[in-house]
Amino acid sequence: MRNDYPNYVGQDAPATKRPITKLPPWGETSVVGKRLARVDAYDRVSGSAVYTSDVILPDMLYAAILRCPHAHAKLKRLNITKAKSMPGVRAIMTDASPGANIPWFFGEKGALSRLFDPHCRYEGDEVAAVAAESPYEAWDAARAIDVEYDILPFVSDAEEALEQGAPAVQEGGNREGEPYVRERGDVAKGFAEADAVLEETYRTSCQIHTPMELHGSVAQWDGGRLTVWDSTQGVFDIQRSLAQTLNLPLSSVRVISRYMGGGFGSKLELGKYTVIAAFLAKMTAQPVKIMLTRENSFLCVGNRPPNTIKLKAGVKNDGTLTALHLISLGTGGAYPADSSVSYLVRDLYLCPNVRTEETNVFINAGTARPMRAPGFPQCAWALEQMMDALAEKIRMEPIELRIKNIPSYSQVRNNRPYTSIGLKDCLVEGAKTFGWKRAREQPRQDGTIRRGVGVAAAMWGWEGEPVSTAIVKLFPDGSANLNIGASDIGTGTKTVMAMVVAEELGVPLEKIQVENADTATTQYAPASGGSQTVVANAPAVRKAAVEVRTQLLELASDELKRPVAELTLKDGMIQTLSEPIRKVPLSELKILGRVQTIVGVGHRDPHPEGKIALPFVAHFAEVEVNTKTGEVRIARFLAAHDSGRVMNRLTYENQVFGGVTMGIGFAATEGRILDGQQTGKMVNANWHDYKIPTAMDVPLDETCLPIDPHDTECNNTGSKGLGEPATIPTAAAIANAVYHATGIRVTHAPISPMQMLALLAEQGERR
Ligand code: MOS
């Protein structure tokens, strides 16, 4: 059911055996690494960028989905007579329509649901869909559908779901499969060898993705060919899933996502709404647009599942970890979903005896989807607080304890060595820049405002082995076109890729046009996820650009009567290096006019045999706990990252600060609240009651410290993943800082003012 780490993005192995062509690592770069604004920044902020919700086609209809308002119910009656006759209504799809039976959500014994299933297992399960001439008419008609439910008892808590007599979310029971157990060494022996053993139960809340751009699709049929504009992280994944679902050849399904406004993992997979749009478009022979609502985005398109993590750890007085034992209970909601969290416990530190046991249960709530480093922030919340507690227990400096347990230069993981040298640098250099030693040595204060500092470390474990192809074209006027399949999910992918082309061809950035994320017209790229977008695509782009460069210089060498070795490309010109120095703008090169276009194709090579490069991170937080209000203010933050080469200093910092902000939300403000008493419904499915951090909640004094160990063995750009590591240890660092400030170990995320006040009061009573 689960791999060592779930393969939730893209494909795993190269399709063809191509000879591996190695490019030498870059020396000094002139474009790559610079702080440059996004190439499409103006388009994005001015409104000229066409996102899925901006797509308007002739004769297009708008769809609305009627969703079950109950946590658990069965359809008793569904009558569309009135709705059908409402103004503007063109089609209605229900569980009786053709296509409604398409199986959905696969468990171990087959599908656990259908596109429209009369058994609604969470608040938001699809019941019916309407296509009408305007969105308002569609919504009016959806509301006019006469529907009656048998309301069933619900369960909204993972522990309760396992109790005897709990309402069954799925017929097979509330346990999803067997517990997922991984083990190395012998934990009992490890605990026996330890000088100190600690045990603690940590809880994390359900975090919602809430990307700025809502989920949605536009579907259009042209004969037997389906075109879908979709807000997705991976057009090729959606194409594949749609083709399978609708039983069409891949060539008959085109998926486009040129502009994308955030996904964080919630837009990796095909949504029911996309299939519904395709059916409604088929039924009406008109294009259909379907955009979900903000409330839907809280209920129906994924989340970071909540976990209860019991962690027991043994350590020797010299700081050597002897055993780690993790037992996790998680819930991915009403349908099969991954809630495993154990990865970091197994792989971050060198510990000979590790056992992890994980159970996923069904509850009546929306299904989890991968969310920015799935499982990792939850595990860091437990493991990195535990490391802090162990350090205190054996009176060791917490950074020293971590460094003591970092695997040496390379440790075998899944039979492949990885380099962990960057983690030590993140901790050591980060501590220096943060002023850790001095801040940590401050004695605990007694006043209203209590200051403290904390640290947490992590790695990101998705190694990928991504296939991608890029095409670069150079035109006779010296401008260039880059063709890649990747979605730019807001991270600046297009910009970074264009910078790679600019680096190799000396073409100014503004003269490079990027075509991307269209299965009919662009090359294959894996989904933009797993922090693999740069790592998967940049090496192919660089190769394509180098191919153009090689051809160009050969042609120019003939024309300029100088050997290739004496030519270079810079600022849109060919320059000769030897006397007399000549600079010829590309547009004046006659040969370029004759050949018109120089084309270069680049493929991404697999990682070298037996070698992977993983990113590492250490976060440092300084907090102020207000003992009167219970508020935790993050005063100062430093994020030290080994994500390999910095491709663009600005987009690098954007990723880090965005990830930290999401981590601050996970630590302090965010959490789905289900009414477990009366309705089972989510009571904070909006941006007012579900609080994501704003500019007021993040520290002004935030520092990004890139650590680059110059590891170019794995890919020709020396880049590693960044987007996900940036959110992994944030919350744990904050919790450790809160402990340093107050002596209170907050084990339940988020550290809300309410919880903090209660814990402070408890502490007061104990004194
Ligand atoms: Mo991510 S959770 O790989 O978008």
Side-chain angles (χ1 to χ4, degrees):
M1 185 176 65
R2 292 182 178 90
N3 304 320
D4 249 355
Y5 191 64
N7 173 14
Y8 63 89
V9 277
Q11 295 174 343
D12 212 12
T16 50
K17 285 253 181 245
R18 277 185 290 268
I20 293 178
T21 48
K22 280 226 166 206
L23 294 176
W26 279 312
E28 206 176 310
T29 54
S30 54
V31 184
V32 165
K34 293 274 146 25
R35 178 184 292 276
L36 294 177
R38 283 164 169 71
V39 292
D40 56 1
Y42 182 79
D43 305 335
R44 284 184 185 259
V45 299
S46 66
S48 62
V50 178
Y51 290 79
T52 301
S53 67
D54 298 316
V55 172
I56 294 177
L57 303 173
D59 290 330
M60 189 176 78
L61 301 173
Y62 298 82
I65 298 176
L66 178 69
R67 294 176 181 276
C68 176
H70 307 293
H72 198 191
K74 276 192 175 155
L75 272 187
K76 200 167 160 186
R77 182 173 44 126
L78 185 79
N79 190 323
I80 57 169
T81 315
K82 182 174 169 221
K84 237 164 85 178
S85 63
M86 303 265 293
V89 172
R90 304 297 303 268
I92 299 183
M93 201 178 173
T94 70
D95 67 316
S97 307
N101 262 321
I102 284 177
W104 209 271
F105 287 118
F106 288 85
E108 280 176 340
K109 294 194 193 99
L112 293 178
S113 183
R114 309 186 295 140
L115 190 61
F116 288 99
D117 196 321
H119 186 174
C120 304
R121 297 176 178 87
Y122 76 95
E123 179 197 11
D125 236 341
E126 290 78 357
V127 170
V130 181
E133 280 160 24
S134 76
Y136 313 103
E137 289 167 325
W139 279 112
D140 284 348
R143 283 191 197 101
I145 292 174
D146 178 22
V147 54
E148 199 183 332
Y149 299 93
D150 264 334
I151 300 176
L152 303 173
F154 62 85
V155 59
S156 52
D157 174 87
E159 270 148 57
E160 284 170 22
L162 287 177
E163 283 169 13
Q164 278 254 315
V169 181
Q170 294 287 350
E171 264 100 77
N174 290 341
R175 213 178 261 277
E176 193 205 334
E178 292 298 306
Y180 173 60
V181 179
R182 307 277 305 163
E183 189 164 29
R184 71 165 175 259
D186 176 349
V187 282
K189 185 172 142 274
F191 287 123
E193 287 164 9
D195 293 316
V197 175
L198 291 179
E199 195 170 355
E200 184 65 84
T201 301
Y202 303 89
R203 286 170 203 274
T204 61
S205 289
C206 177
Q207 188 179 25
I208 309 285
H209 304 79
T210 75
M212 221 183 331
E213 183 199 21
L214 292 162
H215 293 63
S217 316
V218 177
Q220 181 185 39
W221 290 91
D222 170 7
R225 189 199 197 193
L226 174 66
T227 301
V228 169
W229 287 259
D230 191 30
S231 176
T232 177
Q233 294 171 238
V235 287
F236 291 91
D237 285 10
I238 300 301
Q239 179 199 33
R240 192 169 54 232
S241 302
L242 262 177
Q244 276 165 5
T245 305
L246 301 175
N247 200 17
L248 291 169
L250 285 171
S251 54
S252 296
V253 180
R254 178 181 184 187
V255 180
I256 306 167
S257 188
R258 280 215 61 209
Y259 286 93
M260 217 284 222
F264 309 111
S266 71
K267 292 177 183 169
L268 286 167
E269 60 200 71
L270 177 67
K272 280 189 177 181
Y273 52 89
T274 310
V275 179
I276 292 169
F279 270 105
L280 289 170
K282 190 101 193 169
M283 287 158 79
T284 57
Q286 283 173 262
V288 170
K289 177 191 277 189
I290 200 159
M291 292 303 299
L292 302 198
T293 65
R294 180 53 67 190
E295 187 192 28
N296 289 169
S297 79
F298 281 88
L299 295 169
C300 318
V301 285
N303 54 64
R304 184 190 296 292
N307 282 83
T308 301
I309 301 168
K310 269 170 76 173
L311 184 60
K312 186 175 171 185
V315 68
K316 287 190 178 165
N317 282 330
D318 70 353
T320 310
L321 284 173
T322 60
L324 290 166
H325 186 187
L326 172 144
I327 301 172
S328 160
L329 176 65
T331 172
Y335 297 101
D338 193 349
S339 68
S340 61
V341 295
S342 57
Y343 187 104
L344 277 180
V345 160
R346 294 202 305 268
D347 270 18
L348 183 59
Y349 298 116
L350 196 59
C351 177
N353 308 298
V354 180
R355 182 177 165 87
T356 61
E357 304 160 41
E358 303 182 80
T359 302
N360 184 57
V361 298
F362 298 120
I363 63 167
N364 294 110
T367 314
R369 284 184 180 180
M371 179 166 176
R372 205 171 191 164
F376 280 63
Q378 297 97 306
C379 193
W381 175 255
L383 176 63
E384 288 301 284
Q385 289 208 66
M386 178 56 87
M387 290 299 280
D388 206 51
L390 289 174
E392 186 183 41
K393 184 83 185 170
I394 59 167
R395 295 165 198 278
M396 195 166 177
E397 215 292 321
I399 291 178
E400 228 174 276
L401 174 63
R402 287 177 172 85
I403 290 173
K404 171 102 192 171
N405 291 285
I406 291 177
S408 56
Y409 180 74
S410 66
Q411 183 202 4
V412 173
R413 174 182 159 250
N414 301 342
N415 304 316
R416 312 181 76 172
Y418 71 84
T419 308
S420 61
I421 196 162
L423 179 54
K424 186 176 175 184
D425 291 345
C426 288
L427 286 161
V428 172
E429 298 303 315
K432 247 187 250 164
T433 309
F434 185 74
W436 166 259
K437 198 165 179 294
R438 223 180 124 216
R440 185 75 176 184
E441 280 167 1
Q442 297 290 318
R444 201 165 276 156
Q445 306 280 301
D446 237 6
T448 303
I449 304 288
R450 299 188 194 164
R451 269 182 178 258
V453 292
V455 64
M459 69 193 289
W460 169 235
W462 175 249
E463 63 197 67
E465 195 152 334
V467 205
S468 76
T469 300
I471 294 182
V472 171
K473 291 190 241 173
L474 182 70
F475 300 121
D477 67 349
S479 66
N481 179 293
L482 168 65
N483 181 304
I484 48 167
S487 291
D488 184 338
I489 60 178
T491 55
T493 302
K494 281 193 266 185
T495 310
V496 169
M497 298 307 145
M499 286 166 75
V500 173
V501 175
E503 185 69 45
E504 294 296 347
L505 294 184
V507 172
L509 212 51
E510 58 275 12
K511 284 197 179 166
I512 301 169
Q513 184 66 43
V514 184
E515 317 293 341
N516 75 308
D518 179 338
T519 60
T521 63
T522 65
Q523 306 314 303
Y524 179 82
S528 295
S531 299
Q532 290 290 307
T533 318
V534 169
V535 180
N537 293 283
V541 172
R542 184 170 175 224
K543 280 176 144 190
V546 167
E547 211 182 288
V548 170
R549 180 193 164 93
T550 308
Q551 294 176 55
L552 175 65
L553 292 184
E554 273 167 17
L555 293 171
S557 152
D558 289 347
E559 184 170 327
L560 303 176
K561 312 256 179 298
R562 297 279 183 96
V564 167
E566 284 179 22
L567 300 178
T568 183
L569 291 167
K570 218 183 162 198
D571 301 329
M573 287 185 276
I574 299 233
Q575 301 185 18
T576 58
L577 296 169
S578 58
E579 298 295 327
I581 287 176
R582 282 174 68 194
K583 290 184 180 184
V584 183
L586 291 181
S587 56
E588 284 173 24
L589 214 59
K590 290 188 193 68
I591 185 72
L592 205 46
R594 276 209 298 284
V595 299
Q596 281 297 320
T597 308
I598 299 181
V599 181
V601 182
H603 299 289
R604 204 317 185 164
D605 290 330
H607 296 318
E609 199 72 45
K611 174 80 171 62
I612 53 173
L614 296 172
F616 294 90
V617 49
H619 282 179
F620 298 77
E622 178 162 333
V623 302
E624 288 175 0
V625 180
N626 185 320
T627 56
K628 288 222 163 85
T629 64
E631 279 167 300
V632 174
R633 193 178 82 83
I634 292 106
R636 213 153 61 83
F637 204 93
L638 178 117
H641 281 266
D642 163 19
S643 286
R645 180 187 290 278
V646 178
M647 300 294 282
N648 175 336
R649 182 65 196 237
L650 181 65
T651 58
Y652 190 101
E653 287 182 0
N654 291 162
Q655 279 306 292
V656 170
F657 295 150
V660 168
T661 303
M662 225 167 199
I664 290 173
F666 185 65
T669 65
E670 295 183 47
R672 175 183 71 188
I673 298 170
L674 300 174
D675 166 17
Q677 297 298 312
Q678 297 182 15
T679 64
K681 285 157 73 84
M682 181 175 177
V683 299
N684 59 340
N686 59 69
W687 268 345
H688 179 268
D689 301 311
Y690 180 98
K691 191 170 166 12
I692 56 172
T694 68
M696 301 296 286
D697 304 300
V698 297
L700 287 173
D701 189 356
E702 202 164 304
T703 311
C704 169
L705 181 69
I707 306 278
D708 178 6
H710 300 289
D711 182 351
T712 51
E713 249 186 88
C714 263
N715 74 68
N716 66 36
T717 64
S719 56
K720 302 201 278 186
L722 177 62
E724 284 164 302
T727 204
I728 298 171
T730 314
I734 292 168
N736 287 339
V738 167
Y739 180 79
H740 185 235
T742 62
I744 295 172
R745 180 63 63 199
V746 187
T747 55
H748 191 163
I751 314 171
S752 65
M754 242 159 44
Q755 186 190 186
M756 198 67 233
L757 274 184
L759 293 171
L760 283 160
E762 222 176 83
Q763 184 188 47
E765 275 163 29
R766 277 202 309 270
R767 275 184 181 161

